[in-house]
Amino acid sequence: MLQAAKSVFMSSGVDAPAKEITDLAGLGVGTLYRHFPRRSDLIVAVLQHEVDECVEAAGQLRTTVAPWPAFTTWIEQYTEFVGTKGGLATALHSGDPAYNDLPLHLLDRLEPALEVLLADAVAAGQARGDVTARDVLTTVALICQPVPGAPADFNRRMARVFVDGLTAQAP
């Protein structure tokens, strides 16, 4: 169910009809509402699931890939995570108490995962040492805000430009 919701949120935004999610999951709408009585419950569950995936990916990348590619691959996954949820910013600022602690919770989980990858890249002489993991997370999230009229890959390209500026050779 979470995978179906993630897929629908990517294509149709977080306000997509519940039926679109349940059709993709092969379930009834009642099943969705039994597990997630409110839309915010589903959005929070999807986001937390994706954060868990990002945290796991950091550990896997760190042990299987050189420092700079591990860092950039993780940032690409994070960019996909934050950049493919149409309507998420509006939902998070809706006043729904379900979202009150979510932004800080997400940062608190993601920051340590990225800190390790960034520290490895800095130690290898491949990344600048004057930025923090929180700087990178916040900047990429801001870059991934919807831009009316921009091509579909705009945010991903701009995030890549930002990350390229983090190389140790950058001025």
Side-chain angles (χ1 to χ4, degrees):
M1 200 173 341
L2 291 178
Q3 200 58 40
K6 174 184 172 182
S7 180
V8 169
F9 289 170
M10 286 176 67
S11 62
S12 302
V14 298
D15 293 324
K19 181 142 177 48
E20 189 175 343
I21 296 166
T22 57
D23 285 351
L24 184 60
L27 303 167
V29 175
T31 301
L32 177 70
Y33 286 120
R34 268 193 303 284
H35 288 90
F36 306 102
R38 299 173 310 172
R39 168 73 53 157
S40 58
D41 297 328
L42 178 60
I43 292 169
V44 167
V46 169
L47 292 177
Q48 289 178 335
H49 178 73
E50 286 189 81
V51 165
D52 291 344
E53 290 177 341
C54 283
V55 169
E56 284 178 32
Q60 291 171 350
L61 288 166
R62 187 168 192 230
T63 61
T64 59
V65 182
W68 183 252
F71 174 75
T72 59
T73 299
W74 193 90
I75 292 297
E76 288 170 8
Q77 182 174 347
Y78 175 68
T79 300
E80 189 74 19
F81 164 58
V82 297
T84 57
K85 310 286 181 309
L88 181 59
T90 302
L92 292 177
H93 293 79
S94 68
D96 186 326
Y99 302 124
N100 286 350
D101 298 326
L102 189 60
L104 187 58
H105 170 74
L106 298 179
L107 275 175
D108 286 347
R109 294 263 300 128
L110 293 169
E111 187 175 12
L114 182 57
E115 271 177 351
V116 173
L117 296 175
L118 180 57
D120 288 350
V122 169
Q126 299 170 326
R128 297 167 58 139
D130 61 344
V131 295
T132 67
R134 187 162 293 227
D135 294 339
V136 175
L137 290 168
T138 303
T139 302
V140 171
L142 291 170
I143 288 171
C144 289
Q145 293 300 306
V147 178
D153 71 335
F154 177 79
N155 299 87
R156 191 174 299 116
R157 286 186 308 108
M158 292 301 102
R160 185 67 200 178
V161 168
F162 167 70
V163 169
D164 287 348
L166 295 175
T167 61
Q169 299 84 357

